[in-house]
């Protein structure tokens, strides 16, 4: 399948003329340099940061043992690099964080000087409550300035932050606190999204009741609603900050390049979510380098990434990358559809956003409402658009380009993962001709390759496909799974020895362009959120009526992938609409609303191989409405079960599911 040339969208000449990397030749040159002399290349990139002590060795990495170390011997502080050094260089009056509240009338502008003061005071509060270098601090906050401030305050004193997305349930929060052994939790009375309150403190209380490691809970009053407090454990953040003993100065702790910066939990194909561990030097070099290059960062840009800081996108491209580069970064508390579906473009006009980075799922949801809500806003300030989280459908890409970007803004489709810390495959907007739906070419320093299921490299000049691996380490690659180095090795380096395995499948076309085809493991991508099927299955069987469950994805118009659950109930249980709702509620309670199944089918059995493995291939077909042609079922322990499952599924589906 060769891509027709009419689908090649060159960078607009006006954009290329002032871009940091303004031609494909220049990109190729940078790339060649980065792979022939990676040490020289990354040492040069590391110079972008302030180091209180220079490294003695650029890289020491070996994928056969999963040992990865960058910039050893070097010392730096991530918060100093994101805040203080810009103030020291005379940029204290520049806006660092532009905060836009859920309510359109509610916003805040925080300069770099103000940010420095607020972060230092917050860090002093953490210290007062016994937080020291190496301690874990869990952050469960809505998208308010205190979220970025508390992240930076942890980095300032060398505490390891673990941000938990505000949409996760009490059980998910509890598991993450326990796994990290966090000492202190930062939360808010309530969050506000789309005009609705989220009872964060209540959820936090439920979680912390089972977390003996937590000695303090700091609470920000976002709405001022009355919430219960626990004497001797809880403290109000605003009161703590206002305390006369809390000063404006707090020194930045010099950290070793390989000291942990944060833990961020993400789902895998088995077991509970893994604590992805990122360290200080390599991570910040990666976040800063890629933010500058991929978003063509220019002085004066107002940069808006619509993600939540609870995900890696927010860590790298709301907080660390942009602030390290002295950008003005916009933080949005709300949702794209409140008070109406024009909100994104209102915010763009209001704050004169120049670089806009969002997810395909948000674009699909907005596209449904037609062009008018977009065209009613000016959007003249926009110069660059970005996409992240899942493959962007070519028709959505074209709508984004033509309608949102008035056909004058390049689009950067950025492929990366929580584990990679920073973008690995993406166009450089002034250099790379784009193809709708392709993440295009690897960034300098990144060596992707394809391997077949037997681990042989798939090579050649034509169109290729296989499992996406990376051949050599880059600075922001994760260093370990928190508390479980064996799991780190087993998950990423065992199946294809000597390579980092991404879990994604991909195609490389004859032009060398990369097309990510989606996960090849049992991980779903629902609205750009990563969800392990095993986690959802475990959540379902916490319901006393459920004996066994199997979960698969199916194509979903807005979410990208929807969740379909096949559930076997215990003997004598009636399978009615109430039970279906109860199954969904169980998942909401165990994980959070983002993981709730879209469809639940009660079935008499599950198709299993003779070794007892569920044949998900068949369930995936059924979930997308295919009930004939189910492929080879002869290796099943009981091929007759398929007929029964089909009967159960078709009997319960009022309308045939759309594929
Ligand atoms: C998985 C990583 C990286 C930040 C957001 C998600 C999928 C991500 C793209 C893209 C196609 C993409 C992959 C990847 N993915 N970006 N531009 N094109 N697929 O981070 O939760 O760690 O998920 O998201 O499947 O493995 P994450």
């Amino acid at each position: 399948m060769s891509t027709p040339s009419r689908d090649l969208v060159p960078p607009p000449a006006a954009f290329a003329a002032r871009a940091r990397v303004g031609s494909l030749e220049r990109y190729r040159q940078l790339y060649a340099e980065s792979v022939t002399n990676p040490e020289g290349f990354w040492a040069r990139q590391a110079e972008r940061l302030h180091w209180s002590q220079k490294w003695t060795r650029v890289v020491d990495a070996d994928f056969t043992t999963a040992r990865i170390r960058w910039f050893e011997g070097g010392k730096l502080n991530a918060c100093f690099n994101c805040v203080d050094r810009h103030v020291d260089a005379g940029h204290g009056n520049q806006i660092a964080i532009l905060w836009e509240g859920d309510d359109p009338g509610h916003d805040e502008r925080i300069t770099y000087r103000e940010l420095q003061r607020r972060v230092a005071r917050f860090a002093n509060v953490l210290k007062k409550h016994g937080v020291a270098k190496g301690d874990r601090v869990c952050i469960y906050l809505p998208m308010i300035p205190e979220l970025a401030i508390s992240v930076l305050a942890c980095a300032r004193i060398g505490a390891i932050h673990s941000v938990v997305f505000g949409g996760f349930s009490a059980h998910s929060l509890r598991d993450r606190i326990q796994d990290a052994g966090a000492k202190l939790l930062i939360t808010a009375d309530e969050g506000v999204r789309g005009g609705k309150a989220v009872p964060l403190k209540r959820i936090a209380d439920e979680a912390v009741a089972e977390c003996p490691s937590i000695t303090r809970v700091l609470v920000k009053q976002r709405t001022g609603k009355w919430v219960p407090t626990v004497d001797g454990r809880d403290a109000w953040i605003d009161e703590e900050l206002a305390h006369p003993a809390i000063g404006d100065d707090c020194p930045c702790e010099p950290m070793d390049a390989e000291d942990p910066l944060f833990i961020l939990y993400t789902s895998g194909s088995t077991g509970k979510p893994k604590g992805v561990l990122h360290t200080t030097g390599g991570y910040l070099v990666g976040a800063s380098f890629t933010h500058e290059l991929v978003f063509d960062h220019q002085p004066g840009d107002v940069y808006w990434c619509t993600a939540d800081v609870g995900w890696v996108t927010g860590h790298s491209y709301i907080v660390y990358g942009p602030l390290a580069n002295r950008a003005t970064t916009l933080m949005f508390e709300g949702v794209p559809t409140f008070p109406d579906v024009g909100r994104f473009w209102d915010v763009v006009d209001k704050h004169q956003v120049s670089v806009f980075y969002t997810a395909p799922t948000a674009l699909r949801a907005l596209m449904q409402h037609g062009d008018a809500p977009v065209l009613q806003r000016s959007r003249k300030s926009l110069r660059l658009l970005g996409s992240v989280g899942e493959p962007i459908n070519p028709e959505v890409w074209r709508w984004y380009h033509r309608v949102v970007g008035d056909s004058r803004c390049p689009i950067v489709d950025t492929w990366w993962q929580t584990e990679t810390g920073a973008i690995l495959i993406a166009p450089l907007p002034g250099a790379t001709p784009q193809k709708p739906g392709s993440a295009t070419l690897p960034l300098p320093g990144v060596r992707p390759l394809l391997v077949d299921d037997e681990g042989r490299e798939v090579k050649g000049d034509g169109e290729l496909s296989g499992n996406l691996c990376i051949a050599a380490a880059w600075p922001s690659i994760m260093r370990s799974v928190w508390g479980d180095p064996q799991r780190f090795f087993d998950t990423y380096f065992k199946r294809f020895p000597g390579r980092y395995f991404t879990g994604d499948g991909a195609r490389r076309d004859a032009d060398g362009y990369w097309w990510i085809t989606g996960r090849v493991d049992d991980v779903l991508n629902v609205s750009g959120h990563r969800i392990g099927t095993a986690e959802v299955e475990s959540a379902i069987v916490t319901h006393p009526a459920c004996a066994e469950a199997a979960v698969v994805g199916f194509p979903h118009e807005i979410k990208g992938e929807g969740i379909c659950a096949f559930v076997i109930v215990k003997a004598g249980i009636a399978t009615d609409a109430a039970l279906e709702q109860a199954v969904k509620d169980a998942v909401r309670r165990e994980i959070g609303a983002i993981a709730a199944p879209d469809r639940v089918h009660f079935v008499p059995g599950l198709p299993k191989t003779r070794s007892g493995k569920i044949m998900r291939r068949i369930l995936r077909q059924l979930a997308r409405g295919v009930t004939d042609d189910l492929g080879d079922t002869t290796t099943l322990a009981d091929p007759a079960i398929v007929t029964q499952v089909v009967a159960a599924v078709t009997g319960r589906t009022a309308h045939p599911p759309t594929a």
Side-chain angles (χ1 to χ4, degrees):
M1 207 189 335
S2 75
T3 311
S5 57
R6 66 178 163 82
D7 266 1
L8 208 60
V9 183
F15 189 99
R18 53 184 299 255
R20 285 179 175 269
V21 178
S23 70
L24 196 57
E25 294 63 51
R26 179 68 193 121
Y27 157 76
R28 296 230 185 262
Q29 206 182 337
L30 270 174
Y31 187 83
E33 197 184 312
S34 75
V35 292
T36 47
N37 177 14
E39 298 213 3
F41 177 82
W42 287 118
R44 187 150 55 76
Q45 289 311 325
E47 303 281 1
R48 65 180 45 251
L49 301 181
H50 173 276
W51 299 78
S52 56
Q53 187 177 302
K54 199 175 165 164
W55 57 89
T56 49
R57 183 170 186 187
V58 177
V59 58
D60 170 15
D62 181 357
F63 281 174
T64 63
T65 57
R67 176 191 161 84
I68 304 162
R69 308 184 66 84
W70 283 88
F71 309 115
E72 238 178 336
K75 283 189 186 291
L76 78 166
N77 181 282
C79 179
F80 182 84
N81 274 283
C82 289
V83 184
D84 301 67
R85 66 164 168 155
H86 306 318
V87 178
D88 293 350
H91 301 288
N93 292 333
Q94 187 192 318
I95 307 285
I97 298 177
L98 254 175
W99 181 75
E100 169 78 10
D102 185 62
D103 178 331
H106 196 182
D107 57 25
E108 203 178 318
R109 288 162 178 76
I110 303 171
T111 64
Y112 273 97
R113 179 173 296 108
E114 178 66 10
L115 184 61
Q116 181 183 42
R117 200 182 71 91
R118 288 175 67 172
V119 168
R121 291 185 76 87
F122 205 109
N124 282 330
V125 170
L126 293 177
K127 286 207 282 197
K128 177 188 152 193
H129 289 286
V131 177
K133 179 173 174 172
D135 286 344
R136 276 78 63 207
V137 171
C138 181
I139 303 175
Y140 186 63
L141 282 175
M143 281 285 285
I144 55 177
E146 284 71 15
L147 176 46
I149 290 167
S150 58
V151 158
L152 292 164
C154 287
R156 192 171 190 90
I157 62 174
I160 305 168
H161 57 77
S162 164
V163 181
V164 176
F165 172 60
F168 278 120
S169 68
H171 287 182
S172 291
L173 176 60
R174 173 200 65 194
D175 289 351
R176 285 158 171 77
I177 292 173
Q178 288 179 349
D179 186 81
K183 185 169 186 177
L184 184 140
L185 173 69
I186 302 170
T187 190
D189 48 5
E190 294 182 308
V192 186
R193 274 167 63 84
K196 291 201 236 13
V198 185
L200 294 178
K201 177 61 162 65
R202 185 176 64 62
I203 298 169
D205 282 343
E206 190 187 330
V208 173
E210 294 175 66
C211 297
S213 65
I214 294 283
T215 55
R216 277 287 178 283
V217 177
L218 300 182
V219 188
K220 168 74 191 175
Q221 285 175 290
R222 165 64 186 85
T223 62
K225 187 191 162 76
W226 183 87
V227 289
T229 49
V230 176
D231 268 356
R233 188 199 73 182
D234 298 357
W236 299 109
I237 287 174
D238 292 325
E239 276 178 21
E240 292 296 312
L241 286 168
H243 199 279
I246 295 298
D248 280 358
D249 295 315
C250 172
C252 293
E253 186 74 33
M255 303 296 284
D256 287 332
E258 285 298 341
D259 276 338
L261 179 61
F262 66 84
I263 303 166
L264 186 57
Y265 286 83
T266 194
S267 297
S269 45
T270 55
K272 288 196 169 174
K274 302 178 278 271
V276 169
L277 179 70
H278 282 288
T279 59
T280 310
Y283 171 79
L284 202 61
V285 168
S288 162
F289 167 67
T290 53
H291 169 264
E292 180 177 285
L293 212 65
V294 176
F295 299 106
D296 184 49
H297 177 61
Q298 306 272 352
D301 269 343
V302 175
Y303 163 89
W304 181 16
C305 164
T306 69
D308 191 290
V309 174
W311 309 109
V312 75
T313 310
H315 281 61
S316 300
Y317 299 108
I318 295 177
V319 181
Y320 286 113
L323 294 178
N325 294 341
R326 193 171 43 87
T328 294
T329 183
L330 195 148
M331 231 181 131
F332 176 45
E333 186 186 35
V335 297
T337 50
F338 177 83
D340 60 58
V341 296
R343 183 68 190 277
F344 270 0
W345 328 119
D346 278 341
V347 175
V348 164
D349 285 355
K350 174 178 174 185
H351 297 292
Q352 293 292 291
V353 171
S354 50
V355 179
F356 178 75
Y357 188 31
T358 197
T361 186
L363 296 171
R364 285 192 299 263
L366 296 177
M367 204 175 138
Q368 278 203 326
H369 298 276
D371 300 0
V374 188
L375 298 177
Q376 282 156 9
R377 279 82 179 178
S378 155
R379 294 160 287 107
K380 281 283 175 289
S381 57
L382 289 173
R383 65 179 193 91
L384 175 60
L385 304 172
S387 171
V388 63
E390 53 175 314
I392 180 165
N393 332 49
E395 67 279 16
V396 177
W397 194 102
R398 287 193 195 89
W399 183 80
Y400 196 22
H401 187 256
R402 178 175 55 80
V403 181
V404 176
D406 283 330
S407 305
R408 72 190 155 70
C409 305
I411 296 179
V412 287
D413 176 358
T414 62
W415 176 85
W416 59 298
Q417 312 176 291
T418 306
E419 293 89 336
T420 68
I423 299 167
L424 294 193
I425 305 180
L428 300 190
T432 317
Q434 295 135 53
K435 294 185 189 183
S438 168
T440 75
L441 303 172
L443 294 190
V446 177
R447 292 171 49 202
L449 75 153
L450 294 168
V451 297
D452 65 19
D453 288 345
E454 280 65 54
R456 288 176 299 238
E457 184 171 357
V458 184
K459 281 183 169 160
D461 293 332
E463 162 107 17
L464 312 169
S465 71
N467 299 296
L468 178 61
C469 292
I470 313 287
W474 60 97
S476 64
I477 184 177
M478 71 185 286
R479 299 299 194 266
S480 191
V481 170
W482 180 259
D484 199 348
Q486 188 62 43
R487 193 170 175 199
F488 178 51
F489 178 82
D490 291 349
T491 309
Y492 305 102
F493 303 102
K494 198 170 157 185
R495 181 151 171 222
F496 303 119
R499 276 134 194 187
Y500 166 81
F501 176 43
T502 64
D504 279 332
R507 283 194 299 125
R508 207 188 71 198
D509 71 17
D511 297 331
Y513 275 51
W514 293 84
W515 301 75
I516 310 300
T517 48
R519 303 288 307 192
V520 294
D521 51 10
D522 292 323
V523 171
L524 306 181
N525 190 328
V526 180
S527 301
H529 303 316
R530 211 162 129 178
I531 294 165
T533 50
E535 277 174 83
V536 183
E537 289 160 3
S538 309
I540 292 173
V541 297
T542 63
H543 192 285
C546 301
E548 200 180 350
V551 163
V552 295
F554 66 92
H556 186 288
E557 230 191 303
I558 304 292
K559 299 182 179 184
E561 220 169 359
I563 302 179
C564 181
F566 296 84
V567 180
I568 306 175
V569 296
K570 291 179 186 160
I573 305 270
T575 56
D576 51 13
L579 185 60
E580 182 174 333
Q581 190 55 46
V583 166
K584 293 178 182 176
D585 289 345
V587 179
R588 276 204 185 87
R589 187 183 63 239
E590 289 299 311
I591 306 175
I594 53 169
D598 299 275
R599 293 185 194 144
V600 178
H601 295 299
F602 294 110
V603 290
L606 290 167
K608 289 188 183 170
T609 62
R610 278 184 278 272
S611 59
K613 213 174 165 300
I614 295 169
M615 225 191 242
R616 286 169 195 279
R617 175 175 62 75
I618 293 177
L619 298 178
R620 275 192 284 265
Q621 294 281 68
L622 292 174
R624 55 175 72 207
V626 178
T627 50
D628 37 7
D629 197 21
L630 290 169
D632 182 14
T633 55
T634 54
T635 59
L636 288 174
D638 174 15
I641 199 78
V642 174
T643 323
Q644 294 174 38
V645 173
V646 168
V649 168
T650 50
R652 282 196 49 82
T653 312
H655 311 283
T658 46

